[in-house]
Amino acid sequence: MAPKVEQLNVEPTSLGEGPHWDDETQSLYYVDINKHTINKYVPSTKKHTKADIGKNVSIIIPVKGETDQFVITYGREIALITWDGESEKVASLKILYEVDENTENVFNDGKCDPSGRLWTGTMGVAPTDDQIPEGKGSFYSFKNGKVTKHLTEIGISNGIAIDIATNKFYYVDSYRGTLDQYDFDIKEGTITNEKPIYTLFEKFDREADLKVLDGMTIDSDGNLWVAVFNQSRVIKVNPRKPGIIEDFIQIPGKQVTSAAFGGPNLDELYVTTGRFTVKGVTPSAPEDGGLYRVTGLNVRGLPAERIIL
């Protein structure tokens, strides 16, 4: 049986991103970067709620051992918030970290490793999304009050996936056109020996359709499910077979941004999309900006990690 792709009945996002499935609450958290909102969707009740942050927000990750506590990106800062998952405003917001001397930079995608360490990176901003400057961002990790810079000259810091079984770390800088693999030392919090395992394009071309690798997730077999922005699909890449696409899922929305496994058995793939202007064109179909659930893939994901402060 072919996988089933279902558009969920929630408010469309201008730039949906950062899906995080929380096992403890059986809820999907995600953001709308352009509308500055954090979002919560509970599949069992089909209830969608959101809160306005008032600034660029690209991730929302629950805090381990706490209720209604989350870490978010806040421009080029990392913040701790209190949110009951219902209110239209957060109850509190405290800045934990600030990075990058370039005040125009903002954080983008991010994830936690099993030690509770947060990984996230920055990018430059510009008046239009197809004019984002190259090489302005950096890639960081955060733990125990310490900030570590791992990579520099990043275009758009994007997809992250971690495979503890093989000690591998996967990362996407959308402007590079490659999905890169690193050796990962979780104890030391280091990534080394960069190697591209899939290439979408050899050189970023601003005049092209702006198809780029975006957010991603990993299944229990170590396969990567990577969103391809502006190509209406999520591709499956097996790191043990570099350079090829083993499978793909066609998504009705064009601007596919990220994916996360969720559901009681972690066998449902939730996919975020966007509906914003790129190269003068704004998608307007009902499918654009939708939140999608894919079932029938016959694979399971790995639990998303909460952050440890």
Side-chain angles (χ1 to χ4, degrees):
M1 183 181 294
K4 177 184 177 182
V5 180
E6 168 192 11
Q7 184 173 359
L8 301 175
N9 186 24
V10 299
E11 179 183 330
T13 50
S14 173
L15 180 48
E17 260 288 7
H20 176 103
W21 178 263
D22 184 43
D23 265 347
E24 292 186 23
T25 61
Q26 290 292 294
S27 304
L28 181 77
Y29 292 95
Y30 62 101
V31 304
D32 188 332
I33 295 177
N34 289 348
K35 292 183 180 178
H36 303 161
T37 63
I38 52 176
N39 295 257
K40 179 183 180 182
Y41 177 72
V42 183
S44 62
T45 60
K46 299 182 180 179
K47 185 174 184 179
H48 168 248
T49 52
K50 64 178 182 177
D52 185 0
I53 296 299
K55 200 171 182 178
N56 179 286
V57 55
S58 58
I59 62 171
I60 173 171
I61 299 175
V63 177
K64 190 174 182 65
E66 301 291 341
T67 301
D68 299 341
Q69 298 281 302
F70 303 86
V71 164
I72 64 168
T73 51
Y74 190 65
R76 62 188 180 95
E77 299 168 313
I78 304 290
L80 173 67
I81 63 168
T82 301
W83 183 46
D84 61 9
E86 302 282 341
S87 304
E88 294 181 357
K89 298 288 183 180
V90 300
S92 66
L93 187 151
K94 175 186 177 183
I95 301 302
L96 302 177
Y97 305 96
E98 181 180 52
V99 302
D100 286 3
E101 294 179 358
N102 187 340
T103 58
E104 294 183 350
N105 279 7
V106 294
F107 277 109
N108 200 41
D109 207 354
K111 294 255 175 70
C112 283
D113 66 31
S115 75
R117 181 186 292 109
L118 174 65
W119 297 80
T120 182
T122 56
M123 57 182 281
V125 295
T128 60
D129 290 283
D130 52 323
Q131 294 179 348
I132 294 171
E134 297 184 48
K136 298 295 184 181
S138 299
F139 188 54
Y140 300 91
S141 66
F142 304 83
K143 189 176 183 183
N144 297 330
K146 180 183 177 182
V147 182
T148 303
K149 183 185 290 188
H150 298 273
L151 304 171
T152 59
E153 298 184 1
I154 299 297
I156 302 178
S157 185
N158 231 318
I160 298 166
I162 298 165
D163 190 346
I164 291 301
T166 59
N167 296 316
K168 298 299 182 185
F169 190 104
Y170 302 98
Y171 177 64
V172 167
D173 173 354
S174 294
Y175 269 13
R176 291 189 61 175
T178 56
L179 165 57
D180 296 325
Q181 173 186 281
Y182 295 83
D183 294 331
F184 180 44
D185 186 325
I186 189 170
K187 182 179 179 181
E188 299 298 326
T190 57
I191 54 174
T192 55
N193 300 323
E194 171 195 306
K195 180 177 76 171
I197 58 170
Y198 175 75
T199 301
L200 182 67
F201 54 77
E202 296 293 338
K203 179 175 171 46
F204 180 68
D205 184 357
R206 292 185 184 275
E207 302 306 316
D209 274 348
L210 210 66
K211 294 183 178 70
V212 296
L213 299 174
D214 210 311
M216 65 176 159
T217 190
I218 188 169
D219 65 30
S220 59
D221 295 321
N223 299 309
L224 304 169
W225 297 80
V226 191
V228 185
F229 181 85
N230 245 10
Q231 204 174 34
S232 301
R233 62 178 54 184
V234 176
I235 61 173
K236 176 185 176 183
V237 176
N238 181 345
R240 298 166 294 280
K241 299 178 181 178
I244 64 171
I245 297 175
E246 283 206 335
D247 199 357
F248 70 89
I249 307 164
Q250 198 71 23
I251 303 296
K254 185 177 183 181
Q255 297 176 350
V256 182
T257 56
S258 194
F261 283 101
N265 299 312
L266 294 177
D267 58 355
E268 303 170 355
L269 188 69
Y270 288 87
V271 180
T272 52
T273 67
R275 184 194 287 183
F276 66 100
T277 303
V278 176
K279 302 186 73 65
V281 177
T282 306
S284 58
E287 295 83 5
D288 295 304
L291 176 65
Y292 293 88
R293 176 169 53 202
V294 184
T295 53
L297 287 170
N298 295 318
V299 298
R300 296 181 63 176
L302 298 173
E305 303 291 345
R306 285 187 166 215
I307 189 169
I308 297 176
L309 296 180

